[in-house]
Amino acid sequence: MPAVFFFLIDVSMNAIQTGATAAACNAINQVISDLPEGPRTMVGIATFDSTIHFYNLKRALQQPLMLIVPDIQDVYTPLETDVIVQLSECRQHLELLLESIPTMFQNSKTAESCFGAAIKAAFLAMKSTGGKLLVFQSVLPSVGIGALSSREAEGRTSISAGERETNKLLQPADKTLKTMAIEFAEYQVCVDLFITSQTYVDIASVSVIPRTTGGQVYYYYPFSALSDPAKLYNDLRWNVTRPQGYEAFMRVRCSQGIQVQEYSGNFCKRIPTDIDLPGIDCDKSILVTLKHDDKMQDGSECAFQCALLYTTVYGQRRIRVTNLSLPCTNMLSNLFRAADLDTQFACFLKQAASEIPTSPLMQVREQVTNLCINILLSYRKFCATVSSSGQLILPEALKLLPLYTLGLIKSPGLRNDGRVDDRSFWINYVSSLPTPSAIPLVYPRMIAIHDLISKQEDGSLIPPIIPLSSEHVSDEGIYLLENGEDALVYIGGLASSSTVQQLFGFSSIDEVHSQLVLQQYDNPLSKKFNDVVNEIRRQRCSYLRLKLCKKGDPSGLLFFSYMVEDKTASGPSYVEFLVHIHRQIQMKMS
């Protein structure tokens, strides 16, 4: 299939007023030059509020022609042919159009959004080719196909119904969008959703489309016209330039004695053995659960093969084959010695996330804790050399498992407080998260910035990592905490004003805006800080939203809620948690 990029932009009143429409148009305009070169690259563009507006980008026209689709129940696309055209033919038209969209709709009083109808119409335009549909959305879909109600507010009023109601809010409102998504996947249309909102948009319902089509949800909440456009541009640019493939199929095969039980991730599954991926890229991971149904001989090997058939952006059809052969053992101690904590934990994280929409949070937290206890119990029972029962014995390779388990219990996905959309986004983010990002998500990295200059270099740009406990956070210090998606900069109450001036360009903390836009000032500390942030962004392949946190206001509380090792409302301290695990193991041993 050709490389098709279709951009669909929310131009409802809210999107225009918050600056989201302008940010989207700007970002798209900047990434046009990053799209794959050559005659195979096709683009299309449409906007939507309570109706859908296509644009005829044909070269012969003096300017792009707007074509309006008013019927949002029974959707169609106008003039099949000229809505998607070769990029090389319409580049100037496209740039002019993107510059003029925010002003064309600047006086719009239309608050409605026909999101479902708009993606259906865009899909109809792309149906013959397949491709990437990139949607920028700011408000709850309120009219037309797949319209949703503001059920979060309804959920809040019926507290008496308790957990059951809250769970419903984490599941799609109905099957409309799922049915559409399956059809999109069938025609190789991959949808990415950029949510630039300041209100509830029901991520649980709308995220079904990216999840089923191999796409991704990006979430900018609350959207800030000051600091978010840079992240939006970087996210979009990486989205279209990262190593990726289209119209892909994947299958995992195993040698005798083992079989695939299930796949989980962002894909569509039509037959039990394969998964369909309208889009696949280097940031997505797929969890494959195996079961063994036959005895394996000690010392023999078992083999795995993952085959992925896909099309490159330049139109080559390729197969990527990964083979792995592993020794079988009947010694548990060998198993523990070779355990891979990152992969184990990524697996627990994904399994926990998939349970959240259907089980009470308390129950999921207990399941997570019991997993950790049972692993350590079997090590204690079958592998540990006889020693005093007064000690908690941890296998070397998994010694940090209790810490990360505690981090998971206290994470936004499993904490009792928090907005419905934030929890839904977290579940969604985890579903395709690559293994190296799993641990930082629940146990973020914290570093001190106030003494970046005085620290001895050990060859790495990033200074030593500080444990997530408030006893390591001094009132004179300034700290950066990042989890691969967001970054918090915490300024202690007694931080020196000259350091604040050097880093942020203000002498007093009160002048610094909470939506932080990083700038480089002419001093060594600022340069070093910028280098560190850019290095983290490079490592994480993510632009990181920077947020400023100050002692004594809600942002400070937000920062301290990430102190996993402290006792907080959402769970015990690390020491208490270890004691609890140890007690449980002792009880089960006796």
Side-chain angles (χ1 to χ4, degrees):
M1 59 190 244
V4 176
F5 296 89
F6 197 100
F7 300 98
L8 182 58
I9 307 163
D10 184 340
V11 290
S12 63
M13 181 172 80
N14 188 289
I16 296 283
Q17 287 176 356
T18 56
T21 304
C25 291
N26 257 331
I28 296 167
N29 223 339
Q30 288 180 66
V31 301
I32 288 171
S33 55
D34 293 307
L35 296 178
E37 296 279 321
R40 297 176 42 82
T41 302
M42 322 270 286
V43 289
I45 196 159
T47 52
F48 66 99
D49 42 28
S50 62
T51 55
I52 309 154
H53 330 109
F54 282 91
Y55 298 88
N56 184 330
L57 297 168
K58 216 179 163 78
R59 200 188 214 157
L61 297 166
Q62 292 305 296
Q63 60 190 67
L65 180 68
M66 187 200 271
L67 309 149
I68 296 180
V69 178
D71 189 342
I72 52 175
Q73 294 300 341
D74 186 13
V75 180
Y76 56 90
T77 39
L79 318 174
E80 298 271 306
T81 47
D82 301 327
V83 175
I84 295 178
V85 284
Q86 276 187 348
L87 176 57
S88 52
E89 282 187 5
C90 68
R91 202 172 187 140
Q92 281 136 332
H93 267 71
L94 194 58
E95 287 171 0
L96 281 170
L97 175 62
L98 286 162
E99 278 163 29
S100 59
I101 284 173
T103 43
M104 268 163 36
F105 293 96
Q106 65 186 3
N107 300 320
S108 161
K109 294 281 173 278
T110 311
E112 265 74 47
S113 156
C114 66
F115 165 83
I119 50 175
K120 179 76 189 251
F123 160 70
L124 292 173
M126 302 169 74
K127 195 171 172 178
S128 56
T129 54
K132 276 178 82 84
L133 173 55
L134 300 119
V135 187
F136 299 82
Q137 180 208 0
S138 295
V139 289
L140 185 75
S142 54
V143 289
I145 309 172
L148 298 164
S149 67
S150 182
R151 55 192 188 138
E152 179 197 33
E154 295 156 26
R156 270 205 298 266
T157 49
S158 62
I159 289 294
S160 55
E163 291 260 351
R164 208 177 65 253
E165 286 304 309
T166 349
N167 273 7
K168 273 202 191 125
L169 297 179
L170 298 172
Q171 299 161 17
D174 59 31
K175 295 200 167 59
T176 317
L177 295 178
K178 177 72 178 177
T179 312
M180 265 165 61
I182 292 170
E183 190 186 1
F184 291 9
E186 206 172 314
Y187 288 93
Q188 308 300 344
V189 172
C190 167
V191 184
D192 288 307
L193 205 46
F194 295 81
I195 300 177
T196 47
S197 86
Q198 295 182 346
T199 49
Y200 172 72
V201 291
D202 197 348
I203 289 180
S205 294
V206 296
S207 64
V208 163
I209 297 175
R211 269 180 95 153
T212 310
T213 59
Q216 187 172 344
V217 176
Y218 297 85
Y219 186 42
Y220 311 83
Y221 174 90
F223 179 76
S224 151
L226 181 72
S227 57
D228 283 333
K231 178 163 168 56
L232 185 66
Y233 161 63
N234 275 275
D235 287 347
L236 180 62
R237 179 162 180 242
W238 179 239
N239 180 300
V240 299
T241 57
R242 63 188 169 189
Q244 58 192 284
Y246 307 124
E247 49 177 347
F249 297 92
M250 188 187 104
R251 175 184 291 190
V252 172
R253 303 180 175 92
C254 331
S255 55
Q256 202 176 345
I258 302 176
Q259 59 178 7
V260 172
Q261 191 172 358
E262 64 169 342
Y263 295 94
S264 70
N266 291 8
F267 53 77
C268 183
K269 197 158 144 212
R270 271 192 284 277
I271 56 171
T273 51
D274 297 9
I275 55 175
D276 298 4
L277 298 144
I280 181 74
D281 60 73
C282 61
D283 293 331
K284 300 275 189 305
S285 75
I286 288 160
L287 171 65
V288 185
T289 318
L290 307 165
K291 62 176 181 190
H292 55 101
D293 48 12
D294 210 351
K295 270 228 159 73
M296 289 177 221
Q297 290 305 309
D298 189 39
S300 67
E301 302 240 317
C302 55
F304 304 92
Q305 179 184 74
C306 171
L308 176 73
L309 175 68
Y310 68 99
T311 303
T312 68
V313 288
Y314 297 107
Q316 285 182 321
R317 199 73 176 142
R318 293 183 180 175
I319 299 184
R320 173 177 292 207
V321 179
T322 315
N323 295 320
L324 176 66
S325 183
L326 298 171
C328 303
T329 175
N330 53 18
M331 298 275 293
L332 252 180
S333 53
N334 290 343
L335 203 61
F336 276 103
R337 200 170 302 124
D340 176 335
L341 177 59
D342 289 55
T343 309
Q344 283 263 28
F345 186 75
C347 177
F348 294 168
L349 176 66
K350 288 168 188 288
Q351 286 166 342
S354 66
E355 291 285 325
I356 297 170
T358 50
S359 317
L361 287 174
M362 180 83 185
Q363 192 180 315
V364 184
R365 288 195 293 264
E366 262 170 37
Q367 282 170 349
V368 167
T369 311
N370 288 335
L371 251 176
C372 174
I373 290 169
N374 291 335
I375 289 174
L376 298 176
L377 172 68
S378 51
Y379 181 73
R380 175 68 211 250
K381 230 178 187 159
F382 305 112
C383 309
T385 46
V386 181
S387 68
S388 75
S389 61
Q391 280 175 310
L392 175 60
I393 301 168
L394 300 170
E396 186 55 34
L398 299 177
K399 61 174 188 231
L400 291 174
L401 181 63
L403 179 60
Y404 299 148
T405 302
L406 180 62
L408 173 53
I409 289 168
K410 294 182 174 185
S411 67
L414 287 177
R415 278 209 301 263
N416 279 334
D417 57 347
R419 299 172 58 253
V420 172
D421 265 353
D422 290 346
R423 200 183 309 276
S424 289
F425 173 70
W426 188 90
I427 294 168
N428 205 64
Y429 179 74
V430 166
S431 83
S432 66
L433 194 67
T435 302
S437 312
I439 288 172
L441 179 66
V442 303
Y443 194 86
R445 164 162 59 177
M446 177 163 72
I447 56 176
I449 331 168
H450 51 274
D451 54 3
L452 278 177
I453 302 293
S454 59
K455 283 273 189 296
Q456 256 333 96
E457 296 280 324
D458 62 342
S460 84
L461 253 177
I462 296 176
I465 291 169
I466 304 168
L468 296 181
S469 153
S470 49
E471 64 184 64
H472 295 283
V473 178
S474 109
D475 237 7
E476 286 90 45
I478 300 176
Y479 300 88
L480 173 78
L481 180 135
E482 62 85 22
N483 64 4
E485 180 70 7
D486 296 293
L488 304 177
V489 174
Y490 176 78
I491 304 180
L494 305 172
S496 99
S497 56
S498 77
T499 310
V500 173
Q501 175 78 45
Q502 285 173 46
L503 285 169
F504 310 110
F506 293 102
S507 50
S508 144
I509 308 174
D510 304 326
E511 296 171 45
V512 189
H513 198 280
S514 71
Q515 293 292 349
L516 196 56
V517 179
L518 192 59
Q519 288 171 340
Q520 189 163 321
Y521 299 100
D522 193 11
N523 64 68
L525 183 60
S526 173
K527 184 182 179 316
K528 190 81 195 282
F529 180 43
N530 275 269
D531 289 349
V532 167
V533 171
N534 288 331
E535 172 61 15
I536 293 172
R537 283 173 170 161
R538 192 190 62 74
Q539 285 179 3
R540 303 283 194 221
C541 283
S542 166
Y543 190 73
L544 302 181
R545 284 183 93 182
L546 285 173
K547 190 171 181 183
L548 192 77
C549 301
K550 302 177 229 180
K551 191 167 182 172
D553 74 2
S555 65
L557 295 174
L558 173 72
F559 175 80
F560 282 106
S561 75
Y562 283 98
M563 296 295 120
V564 172
E565 299 187 27
D566 289 354
K567 186 183 171 77
T568 58
S570 54
S573 72
Y574 183 34
V575 174
E576 289 168 337
F577 189 64
L578 286 173
V579 169
H580 169 68
I581 283 184
H582 184 41
R583 276 209 193 109
Q584 293 294 315
I585 292 174
Q586 279 179 315
M587 268 166 55
K588 292 186 175 191
M589 287 288 286
S590 58

